[in-house]
Amino acid sequence: MNKSSLLELLAEVQLGSVSPEQASARLATLPFEDLDYAKIDHHRSLRNGLPEVIYAAGKSAEHTAEIFSRMAATGIDVLATRADEATAAAVLAITPAARYHQQARAITLRQSPAAEPLGHIAILCAGTSDLYAAEEAAVTAELFGTKVTRLYDVGVAGLHRLMAQRDSLVTADAVIVCAGMEGALPSVVGGLVGVPVIAVPTSVGYGASFAGAAALLGMLNSCSPNVCVVNIDNGFGAAYTATLIARAASR
Amino acid sequence: MNKSSLLELLAEVQLGSVSPEQASARLATLPFEDLDYAKIDHHRSLRNGLPEVIYAAGKSAEHTAEIFSRMAATGIDVLATRADEATAAAVLAITPAARYHQQARAITLRQSPAAEPLGHIAILCAGTSDLYAAEEAAVTAELFGTKVTRLYDVGVAGLHRLMAQRDSLVTADAVIVCAGMEGALPSVVGGLVGVPVIAVPTSVGYGASFAGAAALLGMLNSCSPNVCVVNIDNGFGAAYTATLIARAASR
Amino acid sequence: MNKSSLLELLAEVQLGSVSPEQASARLATLPFEDLDYAKIDHHRSLRNGLPEVIYAAGKSAEHTAEIFSRMAATGIDVLATRADEATAAAVLAITPAARYHQQARAITLRQSPAAEPLGHIAILCAGTSDLYAAEEAAVTAELFGTKVTRLYDVGVAGLHRLMAQRDSLVTADAVIVCAGMEGALPSVVGGLVGVPVIAVPTSVGYGASFAGAAALLGMLNSCSPNVCVVNIDNGFGAAYTATLIARAASR
Amino acid sequence: MNKSSLLELLAEVQLGSVSPEQASARLATLPFEDLDYAKIDHHRSLRNGLPEVIYAAGKSAEHTAEIFSRMAATGIDVLATRADEATAAAVLAITPAARYHQQARAITLRQSPAAEPLGHIAILCAGTSDLYAAEEAAVTAELFGTKVTRLYDVGVAGLHRLMAQRDSLVTADAVIVCAGMEGALPSVVGGLVGVPVIAVPTSVGYGASFAGAAALLGMLNSCSPNVCVVNIDNGFGAAYTATLIARAASR
Amino acid sequence: MNKSSLLELLAEVQLGSVSPEQASARLATLPFEDLDYAKIDHHRSLRNGLPEVIYAAGKSAEHTAEIFSRMAATGIDVLATRADEATAAAVLAITPAARYHQQARAITLRQSPAAEPLGHIAILCAGTSDLYAAEEAAVTAELFGTKVTRLYDVGVAGLHRLMAQRDSLVTADAVIVCAGMEGALPSVVGGLVGVPVIAVPTSVGYGASFAGAAALLGMLNSCSPNVCVVNIDNGFGAAYTATLIARAASR
Amino acid sequence: MNKSSLLELLAEVQLGSVSPEQASARLATLPFEDLDYAKIDHHRSLRNGLPEVIYAAGKSAEHTAEIFSRMAATGIDVLATRADEATAAAVLAITPAARYHQQARAITLRQSPAAEPLGHIAILCAGTSDLYAAEEAAVTAELFGTKVTRLYDVGVAGLHRLMAQRDSLVTADAVIVCAGMEGALPSVVGGLVGVPVIAVPTSVGYGASFAGAAALLGMLNSCSPNVCVVNIDNGFGAAYTATLIARAASR
Amino acid sequence: MNKSSLLELLAEVQLGSVSPEQASARLATLPFEDLDYAKIDHHRSLRNGLPEVIYAAGKSAEHTAEIFSRMAATGIDVLATRADEATAAAVLAITPAARYHQQARAITLRQSPAAEPLGHIAILCAGTSDLYAAEEAAVTAELFGTKVTRLYDVGVAGLHRLMAQRDSLVTADAVIVCAGMEGALPSVVGGLVGVPVIAVPTSVGYGASFAGAAALLGMLNSCSPNVCVVNIDNGFGAAYTATLIARAASR
Amino acid sequence: MNKSSLLELLAEVQLGSVSPEQASARLATLPFEDLDYAKIDHHRSLRNGLPEVIYAAGKSAEHTAEIFSRMAATGIDVLATRADEATAAAVLAITPAARYHQQARAITLRQSPAAEPLGHIAILCAGTSDLYAAEEAAVTAELFGTKVTRLYDVGVAGLHRLMAQRDSLVTADAVIVCAGMEGALPSVVGGLVGVPVIAVPTSVGYGASFAGAAALLGMLNSCSPNVCVVNIDNGFGAAYTATLIARAASR
């Protein structure tokens, strides 16, 4: 149940077609639908206005599929991240309307009616190896109803490639930058734009990259004051925050 | 020179009171005013629409005072962060209109005309020891023209204190949360609000806090997807990004 | 041999049915039953009043099965932790009365007579991914004869779920809290209860969670003074200590 | 206000000597007495049944003194930890009844009537350099009304010294072990007793002790299952939890 | 060629049965027998008086087998460490006189004549999981001609087991102690004996053991001054040094 | 004694004005002039063709002054790095011809005759706080006879400043880049030039910069393949290697 | 397209056989040949004068093969690093002229005409386990047209082996040293030669080598000032920089 | 009381000049002479045959002086390490026969009769900055009655200096090597000698030396199997173990 379906429900109450008792009962059952091994919290969607999300890593394909279908049954948009092929197969077997995004390792189900995008974000990645994180961000933001411009493979060792795309950058309400190795791209981008930059360190690299820690530290020490950082490989979180910013900017 | 004074200049050009040559000359001298030991970049203010900032740590009081006064001479708002008492004295000796905020360790000079605040942010801190970072954020955001609500000493070990302030939280366009030790507050706050939360780990703590690293790691691993993080003690950066968000939201 | 069977033995000595020499001989053979590759220390059970435990990780299935059966032969309760499916199969093949708890990765054998639980502990986990540690704690405590209340999936980003369970919390003699990622839950729980909280960081998370180190550091820096910490994923140790506390409280 | 004075108040209400309105007013003013820079939470004392505590490190002597005196005025026992000589002087100037414990770096004020100790804890330290942490624990526990047995300078390189004190150990309801360097003492003690051992790593050592990190890691990896750990140098937290355990055991 | 065969050669020169030119030629070919991918240094054996050793990890089974057989051909004793089953099979196929020690993961070939052991070392391990390192040390030392006493499974949480073996300890010329987890055993042993203790941290443990780093740090911070440390799991190095000590003591 | 004065000496031998015995004696005394607490190695100058260098940190002012004057007496150029004001005063008191470079914290003495610079290096720094390392590099390279172009305060958050200086960059034989915080500048510069880039991480920054470790890691992970790295703050080493490169390029 | 083919193109323009418009069109299409998932930057080859390189790790065999063949089609030399057997098979299937170097894990395609080597580098490795990094460097440098002298298995524990090769060392224009474990070899080599030493830490080792971090730290702290460092296992980067140095020296 | 004075006592018992009761009383008072803040363990001297040692760091000058004098009163040799000037003054004021070794930061008191040195150790340090650790080792070993050969300033970047001293090396029974920065010297020395090498990492260095951690890791990963390691700056521990080895070798 998302915000607008809640408002609909309340309007029905106002109109008399649903009694307050009925509405109350329906709302009361929502907060903790208990699957025994996981409490599904339908209220978060109400609080934040964004779809429910399942973090599939470390869950069995079956559990993910069951949670996914239970959420789907409430009529909301659903997103599962970090889903491998097997999980995707399990989910689509039960919920055929869902769609698997291989590069993003994400499964989406759109049930809300088509609408104009709310806000615009640009998503950059430094190299082709960072695509998985950038695509997780892109798929997430698009499901959330945000317009996404992808600017990929624009690392700092070839500035002319970045500069060639500068026009697309400056019209975005927020920018997500995914980079591994030295993680220098967010600082450069932060100096080029006047909007918040969400930096996503990726675990791309070897040796002293320490699985993304080098990029993470680099981004936290950015000399551009409009850069803030999320966890290594956390494209989803970046898209979540960027969407909140873009929505606010486009209201 | 900020954006509005630039527009004024260009308007004067349009009106004929300033010749294009004069305007060009004035703009041309701006980018790199050279103090020998530092290039002052008056253009950033144009790009981002926010005042110039001096990071005073590691600069001598004299250098900071000279840079501050040179910036002040261009008519813009000026902010110096990480300024100790001695630096404040040196700055105020040359620029008496500046003001020192002791707890925030910041020096501000407001030269732009008074205006309605653009957007509203809430700034929380977990304990009284985190005040320095929260105040750096608050002073920064206020100089940038943002309305600030301070909610201090609302740590997670006494949730009732936080809950008592929940109403102030939900009206903000963005929230800044400063916390040291275990850094748990941003996750809790992230679950309560539907706007971006900028988490500022502070270096408060001892032993296994490792000067803020524990709080930093905690925040990066937040289970609330609307939390993003800046460097340890970086109240300034948090306010910079939060202001960009709040402005966009209030446009 | 546990404490009560020792007392029985000594009572028999008192009664004359067992001679001191016989008792001595029986006790003398106990301390180091030598399996060549491991000394089984039956005395610890006497010292601490709790069953013997086998840490199965890094042991071959056969060794674990042999140690398990040797312990079982002395009539005590036996617990093997970190046991995978293959180990469980090997153990149950020799000791069919044992039981495998898959989620907890534990094998238990109860041989002591049924008795009233001694003390009551609550076990919380932040998310469904932390279940394995929580269940290791629960299975351990229950074998030790402690009453266990499970409160799962009550993470800090959805405080209302935790608050809804508050009543169960306040009646426990000790609380175990398992959490990965930012590890914030023990601090929140510590502020709600007046009993010791044993925090178990889990290796759940990715990127900057560094396999549980972030949660560990967060818990060590808890602002709640009634929180103490065990090793990452050490549900067994938490249950051991919590049981000692709960027993003392219920005496 | 502690639990018993609350019960007194309620009894007076029952007896009619205090009206419900008066009682309500008095309780209502308690939760957040606002000192502008710190919210004093008189409720925690009610929740946990233990005195209020001020963490003096990072607070000015004046602030600590003011908070201390404000707490003292409510009639409860008060404890300030990590207090240097200057802070002690400032506190005692306003609150002459307070007492400074130099080695423990703690200030105490006892206002509750004398009573039988509730429970018994043993506090060990490995070397004389660890005394400061052990004494912080001892002073804290004694103010909380717990009987304390001090066993100092009993490090593992001289086991005979520890063995000589074994009798004192086995009668305690809980044991606190403070050790720096390799932090091996808690494991040894854990093997000797059947009660919970709270291990306090100290920052004593040099080189690869990394300011207590080596001891901390050692304790977290203890092979004794009844050992749990608090932050480096956190004698206060250890005493807090040990007192809760000892009280439960002595009820 | 070891020291005694060198002396023999020189004696033959003295006696005239070998001409200086022949001897020189034979010695000249020794230093770098070139296998293309590895220079075999037969001189080290001369310098240190101990057999040649092959570190098999990261070498293909074939390479190890070839190096082993080339060394064997010179008549010296040969040792290969970190050899898995496949490598052992490859070596024994070419050099059937060699012997595989599974638990120690070592292959030995003894070609020197039987002799009285030179010196005596005791090798302890804290738990059965540390056996692999202890056995690597034991097999190495025995090949080097040292008498070895094994004292296994004598961890600090059960001091009585260690104490029961104290007599064997005090007659050794040097002691090797292998321990993972908190690595406390070397400190305790160091306090019991008057000879050098070589501590071998093992990678046994989980969570905050960080693959042996916790044990390593603990041992480096030992409060017993007769403890020195080798790399994690380096049973070979410990045996090498302990043998040098024991030989010197028994001369 | 540098290479050319050696050649002079040998020429005098050739000419007969110095006997081989005299030359031999003079050379023989050179290698280890023994100051009791330090062996001065005049031979390194011969080997590498660069002046002798004294690392003054951790040496008393007096020791540094004595070593400096002893080296000066041999007629070579002398450099002392990491010299504070007190050390400079002590050196100049004995060796008045020396010169102190305050920003570089270096003392130089030029005794070799003036000569055309050999090769050309560019030295960049990201911010004014990095000047100390850049100047250590610049002073070192200039004493070594290299032409130095300084390009300071050209950080990646303001790319236009760097781009404005691009012409100076492309004519250098080698480039040194000093940067703290995120250390992103070397990657950007590496993409702009076709010569080796020596990256010097500086300890400038706070919080998660971990005293230069973040910049160091960033530089080691540079996506530009012509970047190599020296120790944090090691401007001297960077200049040493850059000079070797520039000399080779200008031969 | 490399530099010489560019010059050819421009010469054709000069001669009139290619019109400026044609040349411009041809150049314009070059910079970003878009493979959808990767932008191939043919300009870098122009900027730096060295072949294009593909980092194959983390790319599918098919993608690598396609990028390789697209690059090959432009007539330049091509190098793919970190290529496993499967990738090599895929590449050679499409581009049969390519060659796989198994030990170096590299694929090369030489299309430029044979030429005299430009410059000379020596490549050392400490042990046979470091060969993979040394060979990556050697194959890279040879494709770049540099003469390579290999000096393998010359670790510091057997100095005589290194000393025996000293003559080869002193004629090189630059030296690459690959070493794992303690990483001491570059310091020793740096003291023997007067040219830049590029140190490559390898991930060879176990326990406290922390996958190359120990060697990396050792090299960064080298007491030889002519040592600079690249990332762990980065033989390619070392060869790239060494080639630039050797070319400059041989011009 | 050391071993020989114990034997004297027992001889007197044998001779009848001291009654068993008197001897017993005298021995009985020895084990734990209680100074209230420290138990002096006179028995360790008996167990290990080496003098008592006071670690003065973190003790007040007065405490150290009192412990020192109390030990002195028993007639044994006494050593205090890590003693600053103030502590030395306090000790010498009470115990004028003691001697302060400034460079070693050690105070010694020799009361045992002069004797032939037992065994011979060589102590090397890489640079003059490492002298403090080398001298702590030297002073300790000399007080213990060991012959010490000092070989200072023989770092690996100038191998000829080390080689020139090789003769002194090969006659030692054990070698101590102190080195900071990359810590490479022990590996080189280990390859030159056939006796145990005790490596002492020093905290000398800057930046990525991380206060000795780089040297420590390097030494732990030494490719010379006769190298073992003590804590950073622990010259005392190295001398203690080296003395045990040298004594055994000279028996």
Side-chain angles (χ1 to χ4, degrees), chain A residues 70 109 139 160 206 245 248:
Chain A
R70 193 72 68 99
L109 175 71
V139 166
H160 54 296
Y206 63 92
I245 297 172

Side-chain angles (χ1 to χ4, degrees), chain H residues 10-27:
Chain H
L10 297 176
E12 289 185 85
V13 174
Q14 197 179 34
L15 295 172
S17 59
V18 169
S19 74
E21 289 70 25
Q22 288 168 319
S24 170
R26 196 157 147 207
L27 286 169

Side-chain angles (χ1 to χ4, degrees), chain B residues 157 182 184 187 191 208-209 218 221 223-224, chain C residues 157 182 184 187 191 208-209 218 221 223-224:
Chain B
E182 79 268 63
S187 290
S209 85
N221 286 284
C223 49
S224 293
Chain C
E182 79 267 64
S187 290
S209 85
N221 285 285
C223 50
S224 292

Side-chain angles (χ1 to χ4, degrees), chain A residues 13-37:
Chain A
V13 175
Q14 199 181 31
L15 294 172
S17 59
V18 169
S19 75
E21 289 71 23
Q22 289 169 319
S24 170
R26 193 154 151 212
L27 286 170
T29 64
L30 280 176
F32 308 121
E33 190 167 350
D34 207 318
L35 298 192
D36 193 34
Y37 48 81

